[in-house]
Amino acid sequence: MDILINHRSVREFTKEKISDDQKKIIIDAAQMAPTSSYLQAYTIIEVTDMEKRKVLKEISGGQEWVEKAPVVYLFCADLHRIETLMEVDEKILENVELYTVAVVDASLAAQKAFIAAQSLGLGGITVGGIRNNMPKLSELFNLPSKVMPLFLLCLGHPKEERAKKPRLPQKMILGENTYPTFEQKDLISYDQQVSEFYNHLTKGVDQYSWTERCEHALAQKPRFEVTDFVKKAGFLNLE
C-alpha cells in the first residue's frame, strides 16, 4: 500500500545498473497483468541502443531521462501477433473494440511492471511524448502493421525523492451507481493546492493551477497526426 499511495515520478537516476534478475521480475509481473479474453495484445521492447535512445529523446521534446535511465521499455498495443498466428476476420481486428483491448492490455502490463520495479526499490516515469512522431518510431523499431507504440517506461535507482503531486478530490472521479456530479467551484480548492505545490517545488517560478496546466497541455500537444498513424497501421478501419 505504501508503494501504491506514495507513487512519484522519478526523472533523476543514479548510475547503478538494474540487474538481469530484476528485469526478469519486472517483465514477469507485466505478463501477469489482466488481459481481455487472454489475448495479451501488447509487446514490450527494451531499448538498449543508445543511438535509438537519442532519437527517442529528440522525438519526446528533449526529455533527458529517456537517454539517461538505466532501463527503458517501449510498450506497444499489438494485434499483429494475433493477425499472424490465428485465423481471425480482418474486420474484427480493425474494429474499435480490438483497438481498445490492445491499448488497455498494454497499459495494464506497464502499470504492473512499474509497481514491480518500485517494489524492488526502483523508480521511474512514463513518457507519452514519443507519440509526437509515431511514423518515426515505427521505422526505428521495425514495427509491423497493427502495432502501435504508446509510451516509454524509464526505470532506475532514484537519485532523490521527489514530492508527491496532489490528485483530484475523490468525489470528482468516483460515482456510486451513476456518473459523479461536480461543478467548476469544486475545483477551486484543488487548483489552489496544485498552484501552491508547484510554487514550492519551483521556488516561485511555476504557480500554474491544475486547470491552467491541463488547458495548456491540451492546446500545445493535440497530436492530431496520431489518428492518421493509427489508421495506416491497420487499426480502426471503420469503412
Side-chain angles (χ1 to χ4, degrees):
M1 288 307 300
D2 286 343
I3 290 172
L4 293 171
I5 297 299
N6 292 297
H7 167 79
R8 293 162 169 80
S9 293
V10 174
R11 296 175 174 83
E12 297 287 336
F13 306 100
T14 69
K15 294 182 179 180
E16 185 178 355
K17 293 183 178 180
I18 298 176
S19 70
D20 289 339
D21 286 343
Q22 288 176 315
K23 289 194 286 186
K24 185 178 186 307
I25 291 171
I26 291 167
I27 300 303
D28 282 347
Q31 286 197 268
M32 293 310 296
T35 169
S36 180
S37 299
Y38 204 19
L39 295 179
Q40 303 170 78
Y42 62 89
T43 287
I44 306 168
I45 298 174
E46 182 179 357
V47 188
T48 58
D49 186 320
M50 295 311 296
E51 290 303 313
K52 291 187 177 183
R53 292 269 204 106
K54 290 179 181 178
V55 176
L56 290 174
K57 172 187 172 183
E58 180 181 350
I59 290 174
S60 64
Q63 299 187 48
E64 294 184 358
W65 36 92
V66 170
E67 186 176 4
K68 294 180 179 180
V71 170
V72 172
Y73 292 118
L74 170 63
F75 280 79
C76 304
D78 185 355
L79 297 177
H80 176 77
R81 186 164 49 245
I82 293 171
E83 179 183 49
T84 303
L85 302 177
M86 304 177 193
E87 295 183 6
V88 182
D89 188 327
E90 188 73 12
K91 291 182 179 179
I92 296 176
L93 291 175
E94 294 179 353
N95 71 16
V96 176
E97 166 62 8
L98 265 292
Y99 166 82
T100 304
V101 163
V103 172
V104 171
D105 270 15
S107 301
L108 291 173
Q111 186 60 50
K112 283 280 191 179
F114 206 162
I115 295 170
Q118 291 172 323
S119 77
L120 296 172
L122 305 173
I125 186 170
T126 55
V127 178
I130 58 169
R131 295 192 299 276
N132 288 333
N133 192 339
M134 296 175 76
K136 182 64 176 179
L137 291 180
S138 184
E139 176 186 346
L140 192 64
F141 293 101
N142 301 313
L143 302 182
S145 63
K146 291 187 173 62
V147 176
M148 176 182 174
L150 295 174
F151 49 80
L152 301 176
L153 176 58
C154 304
L155 299 171
H157 293 269
K159 195 170 184 179
E160 60 182 3
E161 185 173 286
R162 296 181 61 87
K164 183 171 64 173
K165 292 180 183 178
R167 293 313 202 233
L168 282 166
Q170 285 193 2
K171 70 175 185 178
M172 297 192 72
I173 59 95
L174 176 65
E176 182 176 353
N177 299 319
T178 187
Y179 191 82
T181 58
F182 50 82
E183 301 177 38
Q184 192 71 33
K185 65 180 182 180
D186 295 325
L187 269 180
I188 295 175
S189 178
Y190 179 65
D191 268 341
Q192 182 62 32
Q193 185 182 11
V194 171
S195 178
E196 291 174 356
F197 170 84
Y198 278 99
N199 180 45
H200 177 74
L201 185 69
T202 65
K203 296 181 172 58
V205 175
D206 181 347
Q207 300 180 40
Y208 292 110
S209 68
W210 179 77
T211 302
E212 292 169 331
R213 307 184 79 81
C214 291
E215 289 175 345
H216 176 77
L218 293 171
Q220 294 299 312
K221 298 179 288 186
R223 296 186 183 129
F224 293 116
E225 62 276 9
V226 169
T227 302
D228 295 332
F229 175 86
V230 170
K231 291 182 178 180
K232 288 179 181 178
F235 294 89
L236 297 178
N237 187 354
L238 305 179
E239 296 180 0

